[in-house]
Amino acid sequence: MTTLEEGKSGEFRTFEDTSPKVASSGPLGLCAFALTTFVLSINNSGSYYLQLPNIVVGLALFYGGLVQLIAGLWHLKAGNTFGATAAGSFGAFWLSYASNFIFRLTDFYIPEDPFAVDHAIGIYLLAWTIFTFLLTLAALKTNGATLLLFFFLNTAMVLLTLGKFYQLSEDVKGPNGLTKAGGVFGILTSLMAWYNAFAELITLETSYFTLPVYDLSHKRR
């Protein structure tokens, strides 16, 4: 790229634009979100291979949390307001999730309400469900792959939220039916997040094929 500057004599001189190119942080943020969501959703779906969610804490701190938060700040540098809001917010979500385990913020018991912890987490998830839905409204004219990602994510968040208010039992250990269904949609969400990430990473310059995303912007040419 070049820029033009007018000299004292009225002539224009050409200068090379040496400002560094800002790379897209979209794939990085999406991959961080996808992998962390995948591991937690395996637990939420009731898998016998991952019965405790503690293993996701490290991922939530560093990959889903810190790395995604950095990706959000990177979006700000590139002028991508939506990407900055989404990546930065979900990076903070994973950091807050990890904090609940590290600082034992949900380790309490109220005799009058044996499900008080579940209800508190349910309100926490409800707030994130509302935020996710509002983000979806801001992405209606992006592309089909992004909208499908948000459809799965919204469904997962709704089911996980409902699972903290309904089908609760002191006799049953592990996730209930609603939470298991939320875990399944969480897995689908992570797969779509990976798809969106690699749809941007895989180009004809680096591979032999590309992944379609189905543009919905309807821009006039």
Side-chain angles (χ1 to χ4, degrees), residues 76-95:
L76 283 177
K77 173 67 175 176
N80 184 351
T81 305
F82 178 84
T85 303
S89 296
F90 280 110
F93 165 80
W94 285 116
L95 289 172

Side-chain angles (χ1 to χ4, degrees), residues 23-47:
S24 172
S25 62
L28 176 63
L30 285 167
C31 285
F33 176 79
L35 197 149
T36 312
T37 301
F38 181 82
V39 175
L40 179 61
S41 296
I42 291 293
N43 167 256
N44 286 336
S45 64
S47 171

